[in-house]
């Protein structure tokens, strides 16, 4: 078949700068003539080894405009002499599944169509993200190259080929160019069965018939994965999964797995006294773990998984645990596990790509972010379903020697071993960007030019011992990432951190993190907000957040 290729004139669009998780804008922005084509063309041109002859994985979280974007990618890939596209059926691929396919098929990279946990639909968000050959997010060198190309691009190259039927598994060829549609779930399920002992988890369920599970996919991409694994593979009843059909608008919800947005799950767990509840986000890389009367803070979650990994999870029994890591705002709970296990601990900026270098250097096995992201070196993305299976494996393991143990028992035992890191995050979403930036400028001045004055200051009983604007030097490639979060560290070890998030598409999101450690067993079951209200008050006082933003309350409290 002869393929006609055309060079189509265009002009640069302002603001096509990818953040830590790609380019995210409102759907209507991507629907502008040439807008998506320009960004895809820049992405193809920025591939380090070149687009010609490349094999790319393509898929997304099923959000609105996803299928149209896949067809655009097909045409431009053919026009730029890409050899093969591996596309998830109906354009569906969870971010972890895409990372796995890139690695398994030894692809050049992948183009992921997702805005993660942001709402979907015609009036909400869309996103495009490039992952490199290790399966992880593109490093800054690649995203900067993409952005520079978008500022000068005058045309894109597109092939005149018909739309490909994304529902039909198999190959379609256009000359030397091949589009391969694959089952979205199969390869990922096979990977999970290599990592975890499915028969052991099934035995735990059969021996504990009163133990109930409820997984909420929030109408995001993990629905088919959760149903296949929990119901078809592990034998749980069909009622163990909810909101498992991916919808372009996520059913009108906000697919962010936290206590605020996963309210349907939270209510069901309480009403039906569910033993184990879990939720995942739009593209399947985040997770929340809860149970009847218990919430597992993400910072504690990764620490508990790290503690039990080699005992409860076959993958780590075989490969060992090379090192542990967390994003800088995440609580230091996992640091204590690393010390006890005698392995390295790394503190990195927010953004999963920072973990990838450490994994590729064989220095990191398990890592997590306080933003409900948990994962390991099995892929190069955080992985919501993986975390759910990790917890089920831990429950199965603990119950062999301590029958009847639930989530709360495991958490309290962890606190007895390591103490408790009280941790909370306040999100102020879509605040006025000007006010947010002025607040950050004030705080940055306090920890840089005014650092010597700030150190030693007593804020209502909390005395500053150190403060900075977090800077990270990658121990593998020595690259430097600056201005990664403003930190105030107090003499008792408590921390306050401020960050402006780059994952939204509208306005600014201020994230405030507070952490306080306690070894007092009397406090292990204390309410987090009650135990930290004095430190939270100090954070609001130092930042004058209300004055700069006009916000009385945060949008979300974690």
């Amino acid at each position: 078949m002869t393929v006609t290729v055309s060079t189509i004139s265009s002009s640069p669009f302002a603001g096509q700068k990818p953040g830590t998780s790609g380019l995210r804008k409102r759907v209507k922005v991507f629907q502008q003539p040439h807008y998506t084509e320009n960004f895809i063309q820049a992405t193809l041109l920025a591939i380090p080894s070149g687009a010609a002859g490349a094999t790319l994985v393509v898929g997304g979280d099923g959000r609105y405009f996803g299928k149209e974007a896949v067809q655009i990618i097909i045409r431009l890939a053919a026009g730029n002499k890409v050899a093969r596209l591996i596309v998830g059926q109906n354009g569906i691929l969870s971010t972890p599944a895409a990372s796995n396919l890139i690695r398994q098929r030894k692809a050049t990279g992948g183009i992921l169509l997702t805005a993660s946990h942001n709402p979907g639909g015609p009036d909400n968000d869309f996103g495009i993200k490039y992952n490199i050959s290790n399966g992880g997010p593109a490093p800054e060198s690649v995203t900067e190259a993409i952005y520079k190309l978008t500022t000068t691009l005058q045309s894109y190259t597109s092939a005149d080929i018909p739309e490909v039927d994304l529902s039909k598994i198999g190959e379609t060829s256009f000359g030397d160019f091949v589009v391969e549609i694959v089952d979205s779930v199969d390869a990922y399920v096979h990977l999970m069965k290599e990592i975890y002992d499915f028969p052991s988890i099934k035995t735990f369920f059969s021996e504990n018939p009163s133990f109930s599970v409820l997984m909420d996919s929030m109408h995001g991409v993990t629905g088919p994965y959760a149903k296949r694994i929990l119901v078809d593979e592990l034998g749980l009843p069909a009622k163990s999964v909810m909101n498992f059909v991916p919808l372009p608008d996520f059913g009108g919800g906000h697919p962010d797995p936290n206590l605020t947005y996963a309210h349907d799950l939270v209510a069901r767990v309480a009403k039906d006294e569910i033993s184990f509840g879990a939720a995942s986000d739009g593209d399947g890389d985040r997770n929340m773990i809860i149970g009847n009367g218990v919430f597992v803070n993400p910072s504690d979650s990764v620490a508990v998984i790290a503690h039990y990994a080699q005992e409860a999870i076959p993958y780590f029994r075989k490969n060992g645990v090379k090192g542990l890591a967390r994003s800088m705002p995440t609580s230091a709970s996992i640091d204590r596990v690393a010390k006890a296990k005698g392995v390295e601990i790394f503190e990195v900026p927010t953004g999963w790509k920072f973990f990838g270098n450490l994994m590729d250097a064989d220095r990191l096995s398990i890592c997590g972010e306080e933003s409900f992201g948990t994962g390991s070196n099995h892929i190069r993305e955080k992985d919501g379903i993986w975390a759910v299976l990790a917890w089920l494996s831990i429950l199965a393991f603990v119950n062999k020697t301590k029958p009847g143990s639930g989530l709360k028992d495991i958490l309290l035992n962890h606190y007895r071993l390591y103490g408790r890191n009280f941790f909370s995050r306040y999100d102020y979403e879509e605040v006025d960007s000007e006010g947010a930036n002025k607040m950050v400028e004030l705080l940055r001045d306090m920890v840089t030019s005014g650092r010597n004055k700030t150190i030693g200051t007593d804020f209502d009983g909390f005395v500053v011992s150190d403060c900075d604007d977090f800077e990270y030097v990658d121990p593998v490639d020595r690259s430097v990432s600056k201005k990664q979060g403003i930190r105030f560290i107090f003499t008792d070890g408590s921390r306050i951190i401020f960050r402006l998030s780059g994952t939204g598409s509208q306005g600014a999101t201020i994230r405030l993190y507070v952490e306080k450690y306690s070894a007092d067993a009397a406090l292990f079951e204390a309410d987090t907000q009650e135990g930290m209200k004095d430190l939270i008050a100090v954070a609001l006082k130092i930042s004058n957040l209300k004055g700069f933003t006009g916000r009385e309350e945060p949008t979300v409290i974690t």
Side-chain angles (χ1 to χ4, degrees), residues 20 43 46-50 54-57 95-112 129-146 352-358 360 379-381 477:
T20 57
T43 299
I47 294 173
S49 58
T55 294
L56 299 175
V57 171
T95 292
S99 180
N100 176 50
L101 271 178
I102 292 168
R103 294 168 64 80
Q104 183 193 79
R105 298 291 298 270
K106 295 180 169 54
T108 309
I111 300 176
L112 282 60
K129 166 184 169 182
Y130 183 72
N131 279 26
I132 57 175
S133 59
N134 73 349
E140 290 180 15
S141 59
V142 174
T143 56
E144 279 298 316
I146 293 171
W352 208 257
K353 61 189 174 185
F354 294 104
F355 295 125
N357 268 4
L358 296 166
D360 290 343
I379 56 172
R380 296 298 182 266
E381 289 278 5
D477 63 16

Short mmCIF file of all heavy atoms in Angstrom, two decimals, residues 20 43 46-50 54-57 95-112 129-146 352-358 360 379-381 477:
data_model
loop_
_atom_site.label_atom_id
_atom_site.label_comp_id
_atom_site.label_asym_id
_atom_site.label_seq_id
_atom_site.Cartn_x
_atom_site.Cartn_y
_atom_site.Cartn_z
N THR A 20 6.08 17.76 35.09
CA THR A 20 6.63 16.48 35.53
C THR A 20 5.83 15.30 34.98
O THR A 20 6.32 14.19 34.90
CB THR A 20 6.63 16.38 37.07
OG1 THR A 20 5.29 16.58 37.54
CG2 THR A 20 7.54 17.43 37.68
N THR A 43 7.16 16.05 19.94
CA THR A 43 7.53 14.87 20.72
C THR A 43 8.29 13.87 19.87
O THR A 43 9.33 13.33 20.28
CB THR A 43 6.26 14.21 21.32
OG1 THR A 43 5.61 15.15 22.19
CG2 THR A 43 6.61 12.96 22.10
N ALA A 46 11.75 14.96 19.19
CA ALA A 46 12.61 15.00 20.37
C ALA A 46 13.03 13.61 20.85
O ALA A 46 13.84 13.51 21.79
CB ALA A 46 11.88 15.72 21.51
N ILE A 47 12.51 12.55 20.24
CA ILE A 47 12.93 11.20 20.65
C ILE A 47 14.44 11.09 20.48
O ILE A 47 14.96 11.31 19.37
CB ILE A 47 12.19 10.13 19.81
CG1 ILE A 47 10.70 10.16 20.12
CG2 ILE A 47 12.78 8.74 20.08
CD1 ILE A 47 9.86 9.24 19.23
N PRO A 48 15.17 10.76 21.55
CA PRO A 48 16.64 10.77 21.48
C PRO A 48 17.23 9.96 20.34
O PRO A 48 18.21 10.40 19.70
CB PRO A 48 17.05 10.20 22.84
CG PRO A 48 15.93 10.58 23.75
CD PRO A 48 14.69 10.47 22.92
N SER A 49 16.65 8.81 20.02
CA SER A 49 17.19 7.96 18.94
C SER A 49 16.50 8.23 17.61
O SER A 49 16.80 7.56 16.61
CB SER A 49 17.04 6.48 19.32
OG SER A 49 15.68 6.17 19.56
N GLY A 50 15.58 9.17 17.59
CA GLY A 50 14.87 9.51 16.37
C GLY A 50 13.58 8.73 16.20
O GLY A 50 13.43 7.62 16.73
N ALA A 54 11.28 3.67 14.78
CA ALA A 54 10.97 3.49 16.19
C ALA A 54 9.75 2.58 16.38
O ALA A 54 8.88 2.46 15.51
CB ALA A 54 10.71 4.83 16.86
N THR A 55 9.69 1.95 17.56
CA THR A 55 8.50 1.24 18.03
C THR A 55 7.98 1.99 19.25
O THR A 55 8.73 2.20 20.20
CB THR A 55 8.83 -0.21 18.41
OG1 THR A 55 9.23 -0.93 17.24
CG2 THR A 55 7.62 -0.89 19.04
N LEU A 56 6.73 2.42 19.20
CA LEU A 56 6.16 3.21 20.28
C LEU A 56 4.89 2.55 20.81
O LEU A 56 4.07 2.03 20.04
CB LEU A 56 5.82 4.63 19.80
CG LEU A 56 6.99 5.48 19.28
CD1 LEU A 56 6.46 6.80 18.72
CD2 LEU A 56 8.00 5.75 20.37
N VAL A 57 4.72 2.58 22.11
CA VAL A 57 3.50 2.13 22.77
C VAL A 57 2.57 3.32 22.94
O VAL A 57 3.02 4.41 23.32
CB VAL A 57 3.82 1.49 24.13
CG1 VAL A 57 2.54 1.21 24.92
CG2 VAL A 57 4.62 0.20 23.95
N THR A 95 -1.27 3.58 32.90
CA THR A 95 0.12 4.04 32.86
C THR A 95 1.09 2.93 33.28
O THR A 95 2.12 2.73 32.62
CB THR A 95 0.28 5.30 33.73
OG1 THR A 95 -0.43 6.38 33.10
CG2 THR A 95 1.74 5.69 33.88
N PRO A 96 0.81 2.16 34.36
CA PRO A 96 1.70 1.04 34.68
C PRO A 96 1.76 -0.01 33.58
O PRO A 96 2.83 -0.56 33.29
CB PRO A 96 1.10 0.47 35.97
CG PRO A 96 0.33 1.60 36.57
CD PRO A 96 -0.21 2.36 35.40
N ALA A 97 0.62 -0.31 32.96
CA ALA A 97 0.59 -1.31 31.88
C ALA A 97 1.40 -0.83 30.68
O ALA A 97 2.08 -1.62 30.01
CB ALA A 97 -0.84 -1.62 31.48
N ALA A 98 1.33 0.46 30.39
CA ALA A 98 2.11 1.02 29.29
C ALA A 98 3.60 0.92 29.59
O ALA A 98 4.40 0.55 28.72
CB ALA A 98 1.71 2.48 29.04
N SER A 99 3.99 1.24 30.81
CA SER A 99 5.40 1.13 31.20
C SER A 99 5.88 -0.31 31.04
O SER A 99 6.98 -0.56 30.53
CB SER A 99 5.58 1.59 32.65
OG SER A 99 6.93 1.48 33.06
N ASN A 100 5.03 -1.26 31.46
CA ASN A 100 5.39 -2.67 31.32
C ASN A 100 5.55 -3.06 29.86
O ASN A 100 6.52 -3.76 29.49
CB ASN A 100 4.32 -3.54 31.98
CG ASN A 100 4.58 -5.02 31.79
OD1 ASN A 100 5.68 -5.51 32.04
ND2 ASN A 100 3.58 -5.75 31.33
N LEU A 101 4.62 -2.63 29.00
CA LEU A 101 4.71 -2.98 27.58
C LEU A 101 5.95 -2.39 26.92
O LEU A 101 6.59 -3.05 26.08
CB LEU A 101 3.46 -2.49 26.85
CG LEU A 101 2.26 -3.45 26.79
CD1 LEU A 101 1.10 -2.78 26.06
CD2 LEU A 101 2.64 -4.76 26.11
N ILE A 102 6.29 -1.17 27.27
CA ILE A 102 7.50 -0.55 26.72
C ILE A 102 8.71 -1.41 27.05
O ILE A 102 9.55 -1.69 26.19
CB ILE A 102 7.69 0.88 27.26
CG1 ILE A 102 6.60 1.81 26.73
CG2 ILE A 102 9.07 1.43 26.89
CD1 ILE A 102 6.54 3.16 27.43
N ARG A 103 8.79 -1.87 28.28
CA ARG A 103 9.92 -2.67 28.72
C ARG A 103 9.89 -4.08 28.12
O ARG A 103 10.89 -4.58 27.63
CB ARG A 103 9.95 -2.75 30.25
CG ARG A 103 10.20 -1.41 30.91
CD ARG A 103 9.94 -1.43 32.42
NE ARG A 103 10.86 -2.33 33.11
CZ ARG A 103 12.11 -2.03 33.44
NH1 ARG A 103 12.61 -0.83 33.12
NH2 ARG A 103 12.86 -2.89 34.09
N GLN A 104 8.71 -4.68 28.16
CA GLN A 104 8.56 -6.05 27.67
C GLN A 104 8.84 -6.15 26.17
O GLN A 104 9.50 -7.08 25.71
CB GLN A 104 7.15 -6.55 27.97
CG GLN A 104 6.90 -8.00 27.56
CD GLN A 104 5.43 -8.34 27.60
OE1 GLN A 104 4.66 -8.01 26.70
NE2 GLN A 104 5.01 -9.00 28.68
N ARG A 105 8.33 -5.18 25.40
CA ARG A 105 8.49 -5.21 23.95
C ARG A 105 9.75 -4.49 23.48
O ARG A 105 9.99 -4.36 22.29
CB ARG A 105 7.25 -4.58 23.29
CG ARG A 105 5.94 -5.32 23.58
CD ARG A 105 5.87 -6.68 22.90
NE ARG A 105 5.93 -6.55 21.46
CZ ARG A 105 4.85 -6.40 20.67
NH1 ARG A 105 3.63 -6.40 21.20
NH2 ARG A 105 4.99 -6.29 19.37
N LYS A 106 10.56 -4.01 24.44
CA LYS A 106 11.79 -3.28 24.12
C LYS A 106 11.52 -2.15 23.12
O LYS A 106 12.24 -1.94 22.14
CB LYS A 106 12.87 -4.23 23.59
CG LYS A 106 13.33 -5.26 24.64
CD LYS A 106 14.39 -6.18 24.08
CE LYS A 106 15.03 -7.02 25.20
NZ LYS A 106 14.06 -7.78 26.01
N ALA A 107 10.46 -1.41 23.42
CA ALA A 107 10.06 -0.30 22.56
C ALA A 107 10.98 0.90 22.74
O ALA A 107 11.68 1.04 23.74
CB ALA A 107 8.62 0.09 22.87
N THR A 108 10.94 1.79 21.76
CA THR A 108 11.71 3.03 21.83
C THR A 108 11.17 3.93 22.94
O THR A 108 11.92 4.65 23.61
CB THR A 108 11.63 3.77 20.48
OG1 THR A 108 11.96 2.86 19.43
CG2 THR A 108 12.56 4.98 20.45
N GLY A 109 9.87 3.89 23.12
CA GLY A 109 9.22 4.73 24.13
C GLY A 109 7.72 4.58 24.03
O GLY A 109 7.21 3.61 23.43
N GLY A 110 7.00 5.52 24.58
CA GLY A 110 5.55 5.46 24.54
C GLY A 110 4.93 6.83 24.66
O GLY A 110 5.51 7.74 25.27
N ILE A 111 3.76 6.99 24.06
CA ILE A 111 2.99 8.22 24.18
C ILE A 111 1.73 7.89 24.97
O ILE A 111 0.89 7.10 24.52
CB ILE A 111 2.64 8.82 22.81
CG1 ILE A 111 3.93 9.13 22.03
CG2 ILE A 111 1.81 10.08 22.97
CD1 ILE A 111 3.68 9.63 20.61
N LEU A 112 1.60 8.48 26.15
CA LEU A 112 0.49 8.20 27.07
C LEU A 112 -0.48 9.37 27.06
O LEU A 112 -0.08 10.53 27.20
CB LEU A 112 1.01 7.96 28.48
CG LEU A 112 1.64 6.59 28.78
CD1 LEU A 112 2.85 6.31 27.88
CD2 LEU A 112 2.06 6.50 30.23
N LYS A 129 1.84 12.64 27.41
CA LYS A 129 3.09 12.43 28.13
C LYS A 129 3.95 11.44 27.36
O LYS A 129 3.44 10.44 26.84
CB LYS A 129 2.74 11.89 29.52
CG LYS A 129 3.87 11.30 30.34
CD LYS A 129 3.29 10.75 31.64
CE LYS A 129 4.30 9.91 32.38
NZ LYS A 129 3.72 9.33 33.61
N TYR A 130 5.25 11.71 27.28
CA TYR A 130 6.17 10.78 26.61
C TYR A 130 6.99 10.02 27.64
O TYR A 130 7.56 10.62 28.57
CB TYR A 130 7.11 11.53 25.66
CG TYR A 130 8.01 10.57 24.90
CD1 TYR A 130 7.48 9.76 23.90
CD2 TYR A 130 9.37 10.45 25.20
CE1 TYR A 130 8.29 8.86 23.21
CE2 TYR A 130 10.18 9.56 24.52
CZ TYR A 130 9.63 8.76 23.53
OH TYR A 130 10.43 7.86 22.86
N ASN A 131 7.03 8.70 27.49
CA ASN A 131 7.89 7.85 28.31
C ASN A 131 9.02 7.29 27.46
O ASN A 131 8.83 6.99 26.27
CB ASN A 131 7.09 6.70 28.92
CG ASN A 131 6.32 7.10 30.16
OD1 ASN A 131 5.96 8.27 30.32
ND2 ASN A 131 6.06 6.16 31.04
N ILE A 132 10.19 7.13 28.06
CA ILE A 132 11.36 6.68 27.33
C ILE A 132 11.49 5.15 27.37
O ILE A 132 10.64 4.45 27.89
CB ILE A 132 12.64 7.36 27.86
CG1 ILE A 132 12.82 7.09 29.36
CG2 ILE A 132 12.59 8.86 27.57
CD1 ILE A 132 14.14 7.65 29.92
N SER A 133 12.59 4.64 26.84
CA SER A 133 12.73 3.20 26.63
C SER A 133 12.79 2.37 27.91
O SER A 133 12.54 1.17 27.87
CB SER A 133 13.99 2.92 25.78
OG SER A 133 15.15 3.42 26.43
N ASN A 134 13.12 3.00 29.04
CA ASN A 134 13.10 2.23 30.30
C ASN A 134 11.68 2.10 30.86
O ASN A 134 11.47 1.48 31.89
CB ASN A 134 14.04 2.84 31.34
CG ASN A 134 13.53 4.13 31.95
OD1 ASN A 134 12.56 4.73 31.48
ND2 ASN A 134 14.18 4.58 33.01
N GLY A 135 10.71 2.71 30.18
CA GLY A 135 9.32 2.66 30.61
C GLY A 135 8.91 3.80 31.51
O GLY A 135 7.75 3.90 31.91
N GLY A 136 9.85 4.68 31.85
CA GLY A 136 9.58 5.77 32.77
C GLY A 136 9.35 7.10 32.08
O GLY A 136 9.60 7.25 30.88
N PRO A 137 8.89 8.09 32.83
CA PRO A 137 8.66 9.43 32.27
C PRO A 137 9.93 10.02 31.68
O PRO A 137 11.03 9.77 32.17
CB PRO A 137 8.19 10.24 33.48
CG PRO A 137 7.71 9.23 34.46
CD PRO A 137 8.55 8.02 34.26
N ALA A 138 9.77 10.79 30.64
CA ALA A 138 10.91 11.42 29.99
C ALA A 138 11.66 12.33 30.97
O ALA A 138 11.03 13.06 31.73
CB ALA A 138 10.45 12.22 28.79
N PRO A 139 12.99 12.29 30.95
CA PRO A 139 13.76 13.20 31.80
C PRO A 139 13.66 14.63 31.29
O PRO A 139 13.16 14.89 30.19
CB PRO A 139 15.18 12.66 31.68
CG PRO A 139 15.22 12.01 30.33
CD PRO A 139 13.85 11.42 30.13
N GLU A 140 14.16 15.54 32.11
CA GLU A 140 14.06 16.96 31.76
C GLU A 140 14.75 17.29 30.44
O GLU A 140 14.32 18.19 29.71
CB GLU A 140 14.63 17.81 32.89
CG GLU A 140 13.76 17.80 34.14
CD GLU A 140 14.34 18.63 35.28
OE1 GLU A 140 15.25 19.44 35.02
OE2 GLU A 140 13.87 18.48 36.42
N SER A 141 15.81 16.56 30.10
CA SER A 141 16.50 16.82 28.83
C SER A 141 15.57 16.60 27.64
O SER A 141 15.62 17.33 26.64
CB SER A 141 17.74 15.93 28.70
OG SER A 141 17.37 14.55 28.75
N VAL A 142 14.69 15.61 27.74
CA VAL A 142 13.75 15.32 26.65
C VAL A 142 12.56 16.28 26.69
O VAL A 142 12.16 16.82 25.66
CB VAL A 142 13.27 13.86 26.72
CG1 VAL A 142 12.18 13.60 25.67
CG2 VAL A 142 14.44 12.91 26.52
N THR A 143 12.00 16.53 27.87
CA THR A 143 10.85 17.44 27.94
C THR A 143 11.25 18.86 27.55
O THR A 143 10.46 19.58 26.93
CB THR A 143 10.20 17.43 29.34
OG1 THR A 143 11.18 17.76 30.33
CG2 THR A 143 9.62 16.06 29.66
N GLU A 144 12.47 19.26 27.89
CA GLU A 144 12.94 20.58 27.48
C GLU A 144 13.12 20.64 25.96
O GLU A 144 12.82 21.66 25.34
CB GLU A 144 14.27 20.92 28.18
CG GLU A 144 14.10 21.42 29.60
CD GLU A 144 13.30 22.72 29.67
OE1 GLU A 144 13.55 23.63 28.85
OE2 GLU A 144 12.41 22.81 30.53
N ALA A 145 13.60 19.54 25.37
CA ALA A 145 13.76 19.49 23.91
C ALA A 145 12.40 19.59 23.23
O ALA A 145 12.24 20.27 22.22
CB ALA A 145 14.47 18.20 23.51
N ILE A 146 11.39 18.90 23.79
CA ILE A 146 10.03 18.98 23.25
C ILE A 146 9.55 20.43 23.29
O ILE A 146 9.05 20.96 22.29
CB ILE A 146 9.07 18.07 24.03
CG1 ILE A 146 9.40 16.60 23.82
CG2 ILE A 146 7.61 18.34 23.61
CD1 ILE A 146 8.63 15.64 24.72
N TRP A 352 8.02 10.95 39.47
CA TRP A 352 8.48 9.56 39.46
C TRP A 352 9.77 9.36 38.65
O TRP A 352 10.52 8.42 38.87
CB TRP A 352 7.38 8.65 38.91
CG TRP A 352 7.48 7.27 39.48
CD1 TRP A 352 7.97 6.16 38.85
CD2 TRP A 352 7.09 6.84 40.79
NE1 TRP A 352 7.91 5.08 39.70
CE2 TRP A 352 7.37 5.47 40.90
CE3 TRP A 352 6.53 7.50 41.89
CZ2 TRP A 352 7.11 4.73 42.05
CZ3 TRP A 352 6.27 6.77 43.04
CH2 TRP A 352 6.56 5.41 43.11
N LYS A 353 10.03 10.26 37.70
CA LYS A 353 11.23 10.10 36.87
C LYS A 353 12.49 10.11 37.71
O LYS A 353 13.51 9.52 37.32
CB LYS A 353 11.29 11.22 35.83
CG LYS A 353 11.36 12.62 36.42
CD LYS A 353 11.19 13.68 35.34
CE LYS A 353 11.13 15.08 35.93
NZ LYS A 353 10.85 16.10 34.91
N PHE A 354 12.46 10.75 38.89
CA PHE A 354 13.66 10.81 39.73
C PHE A 354 13.99 9.45 40.33
O PHE A 354 15.14 9.19 40.69
CB PHE A 354 13.49 11.86 40.82
CG PHE A 354 13.39 13.26 40.29
CD1 PHE A 354 12.17 13.92 40.24
CD2 PHE A 354 14.52 13.92 39.82
CE1 PHE A 354 12.08 15.21 39.75
CE2 PHE A 354 14.43 15.22 39.33
CZ PHE A 354 13.21 15.86 39.28
N PHE A 355 12.99 8.58 40.46
CA PHE A 355 13.26 7.24 40.95
C PHE A 355 13.88 6.35 39.87
O PHE A 355 14.58 5.39 40.16
CB PHE A 355 11.97 6.58 41.45
CG PHE A 355 11.34 7.24 42.64
CD1 PHE A 355 10.02 7.66 42.60
CD2 PHE A 355 12.05 7.45 43.80
CE1 PHE A 355 9.41 8.25 43.70
CE2 PHE A 355 11.47 8.05 44.91
CZ PHE A 355 10.15 8.45 44.86
N GLY A 356 13.56 6.65 38.60
CA GLY A 356 13.99 5.79 37.50
C GLY A 356 15.49 5.61 37.40
O GLY A 356 15.98 4.49 37.16
N ASN A 357 16.24 6.70 37.53
CA ASN A 357 17.70 6.60 37.45
C ASN A 357 18.25 5.66 38.51
O ASN A 357 19.16 4.86 38.26
CB ASN A 357 18.35 7.98 37.61
CG ASN A 357 18.56 8.68 36.30
OD1 ASN A 357 18.17 8.19 35.25
ND2 ASN A 357 19.20 9.84 36.33
N LEU A 358 17.71 5.76 39.72
CA LEU A 358 18.17 4.91 40.82
C LEU A 358 17.83 3.45 40.56
O LEU A 358 18.63 2.55 40.86
CB LEU A 358 17.54 5.38 42.14
CG LEU A 358 17.94 6.78 42.60
CD1 LEU A 358 17.01 7.27 43.70
CD2 LEU A 358 19.39 6.81 43.09
N ASP A 360 17.42 2.08 37.52
CA ASP A 360 18.26 1.62 36.42
C ASP A 360 19.69 1.35 36.87
O ASP A 360 20.39 0.52 36.28
CB ASP A 360 18.25 2.64 35.28
CG ASP A 360 16.91 2.69 34.55
OD1 ASP A 360 16.11 1.74 34.71
OD2 ASP A 360 16.65 3.66 33.82
N ILE A 379 8.52 -1.92 37.16
CA ILE A 379 8.33 -1.01 36.03
C ILE A 379 8.96 0.31 36.41
O ILE A 379 9.64 0.42 37.43
CB ILE A 379 6.84 -0.84 35.65
CG1 ILE A 379 6.03 -0.36 36.87
CG2 ILE A 379 6.27 -2.13 35.08
CD1 ILE A 379 4.59 0.01 36.55
N ARG A 380 8.73 1.36 35.63
CA ARG A 380 9.31 2.66 35.94
C ARG A 380 8.23 3.73 36.11
O ARG A 380 8.41 4.89 35.78
CB ARG A 380 10.30 3.08 34.84
CG ARG A 380 11.51 2.17 34.73
CD ARG A 380 12.35 2.18 36.00
NE ARG A 380 13.54 1.34 35.89
CZ ARG A 380 13.62 0.08 36.28
NH1 ARG A 380 12.54 -0.50 36.80
NH2 ARG A 380 14.74 -0.60 36.15
N GLU A 381 7.09 3.30 36.64
CA GLU A 381 6.00 4.20 37.01
C GLU A 381 5.45 3.73 38.35
O GLU A 381 5.61 2.56 38.74
CB GLU A 381 4.86 4.15 35.97
CG GLU A 381 5.18 4.80 34.63
CD GLU A 381 5.02 6.32 34.63
OE1 GLU A 381 4.75 6.89 35.71
OE2 GLU A 381 5.14 6.92 33.55
N ASP A 477 23.57 10.43 37.72
CA ASP A 477 24.09 11.21 36.60
C ASP A 477 24.54 12.62 36.99
O ASP A 477 24.95 13.40 36.14
CB ASP A 477 23.05 11.29 35.47
CG ASP A 477 21.77 12.01 35.88
OD1 ASP A 477 21.76 12.71 36.91
OD2 ASP A 477 20.76 11.88 35.16
#
